[in-house]
Amino acid sequence: MITVSKDKTFALTNKYFSYVFRVSPEGILEHLHYGGPLRDPLNVAVHHLRTQREVASNFQGGPYFSLSDTPQEFPSFGTSDYRFPALHGRNSDGNTVFSLHYKKYQIVKEKPRLKKLPSARGGDSETLIVTLEDPLHKLEVELYYTVYEHYGVLVRSAKFKNKGNKELQLQHAYSSALDLPPHEYEILHLHGTWSREFCEERIDVPKGRFIVDSARGTSSAAHSPFIAIVQKGTTEEYGRVHATTLMYSGNFSLSVEKGEFEDVRLLAGINPFNFHWRLKPGKKFCTPEALHVYADKGLRSMSHIWHEFVREKVSPERFRHKPRPTYLNTWEAAYFDVDEEKVLHLADKAKEIGVDMLVLDDGWFEGRRDDTSSLGDWTADKERFPSGIPALAAKVKAKGLKFGIWFEPEMVNPKSQLFEDHPDWILHVPGRKPSLGRNQLTLDLSRPEVIDYLYAQIDDILSCGDIDYVKWDMNRNMTEVGSAGQSKNRQREVSHRYMLGLYDLLRRLTKKYPDVLFENCASGGNRFDLGMLSYMAQNWTSDMCDPIGRLDIINGCSYLFPLDVTAAYIGPSPNHQNGRVSSIKTRFNAGAFCAARGISLNEEDIDEHKSELQSLIMFAKDTSEDFVGGRFDRLIKSKNEVCWQYTSRDEQTVYLAYFHILAAPNLPFRRARMVGLEANADYMLVEDGATYAGDALMQNGMPLPYVATGQVNEKVRYMTKGDFSSHLFVFKKDNN
Ligand code: GLA
């Protein structure tokens, strides 16, 4: 997988890609190729022509060589490259010019794990570590590149070591840089906000710099830490794609720069804005991992690579390919109006409709009757839960259900015992009144004593042994980011130190409770990233539970994430977020395309739709094994129609969901060309026993149901008349 030539050309190759760079005659790491696999990658042409460019500055006096137009592996600023650099900072003399030269390399069979940050698992992989040095600043930079035999993901990170006897300051400490050759590219990125996460935007790569980033303390729904640079005109099935994400949950930056010579630089890593790391002599700084995918058959092939990798190498192994329990969550069923009696009653209702788990959401802890108080005080409310959570959990479990509970550990309300006891445990800066978000403040997780407190509080509840699931919420972005636990000149380290503290807490808890299913949530998808997913097997995708509101969210989310890590429930109608009225069936069908399926309905709603819910929950349980480990494909996405296919891992069952948003008369007859089926096999449609040939379903397509507004013909498959209808087909492969 990794080969090195005598003159130091390095090639990482597997069946998905080749990634090639060399040590240039000037001692710089010069990038040569990142694209389809090459038969002889060490002999790839050097595209950079060392020739005269007018007005270019020649690097360190050498002829015809400017870093401004040289594709590099880890660029810095100040020595003839004017673009945004991967490394920037200053030494103790105030010198801000860095220059990295090749020093040595090493290849290791096992992927080294980052100690304080989440990292992708190794196995059947090789890692190339190239060491660069800046002899003046006495800075060493190790670049890590991991290539896997069976996955199309390249994992990169950088480690900075201060080898001198004076402090260095890091400002840009990106994880990776990628200089792509001039070409017609577009950018696909995902943006959004609360309840509208993962909206997709496509733009031409502009001249200048385009950045998606976060300065909110969470990776955020405003800009997901994901970007794809695609060949112009790329579709689901066509086009070359370079996609990148980060295994990081805090302030990140993905910067795309098209320079004067039209090559395109992608930088991925910690956001340099408001970041400064003081690197004392002898100390190291590790960046988060940046993950890169190259795919040459459009967005579908890109997503397949991500999905497989996230499931196999990122998400906790314990839950890999494990069907998720169906559940009843109390949130939209009762909001803060929960007490022991009500929860036990809902547990009975859950049992009646066949649900596996009861989840007690917000509202259970001391004094928490609305969102104005109590975060931080993680003991059961004495009045409403007099026997405490362990006893309640045991009672729920005695009914034959699993039990789950909600926490929002990183937060504190000013109205709470914790805040009274430790007012300086919040993120704050002297002289500024802290801004509130949802009436709450953010705890300072850069402080070890805060981590220890939270660990003890959560451990106290989980140690009863009856908690099967934890929903870990985080409901505000950070402001006034400063810490009373750090010195004045380390305040710009606080955001990153917060993340290190959070990861430490998650590592300790998930290590002690490996069988507890943790679900990540941040007002829905405000911190949905690979960093959190490496500790938690699933993510509450969005608070948007209206099925139509969810379609775009699922679509965008699926570019990167497999359904294995997503959760949804059937919520009330009219929907509480956008007021839309929709059928239980359509609400279920949109939510069915995820691993963890549940409901959040009150007693009256459950009673009213009992038999329908019973059969849907039965379907969810019967298919739960299929919805982990399978293949998801986006088939149709237009303003009015969405169609997805999901193929189980054993390829025996294929699900096809079709959503029709607004009804209209005389619509075209639609069909969906299915993908990835076995051409020679037959597929039986479960609802009527009809058989379809695999090749016909792929080439000719499956006729989709019609939304009738007028007279009907019995022989035609219709969907419910009116808006927001949907249909879920299930095909079984015929193995005879
Ligand atoms: C956030 C979550 C919801 C719910 C509430 C509880 O908004 O996204 O699912 O848990 O918090 O306060």
Side-chain angles (χ1 to χ4, degrees), residues 47 52 58 119 164 398 418 464 485 504 519 540 607 625-626 690 720:
H47 289 280
Q52 178 64 27
N58 285 335
S119 44
L418 179 64
C464 73
D504 180 39
E519 179 170 305
W540 180 238
D607 286 342
E625 226 160 288
D626 283 348
T720 321

Side-chain angles (χ1 to χ4, degrees), residues 349-366:
K349 289 282 151 198
K351 198 72 197 148
E352 277 174 35
I353 55 168
V355 155
D356 300 306
M357 177 165 74
L358 190 285
V359 176
L360 174 54
D361 208 283
D362 199 350
W364 58 267
F365 41 101
E366 192 58 57

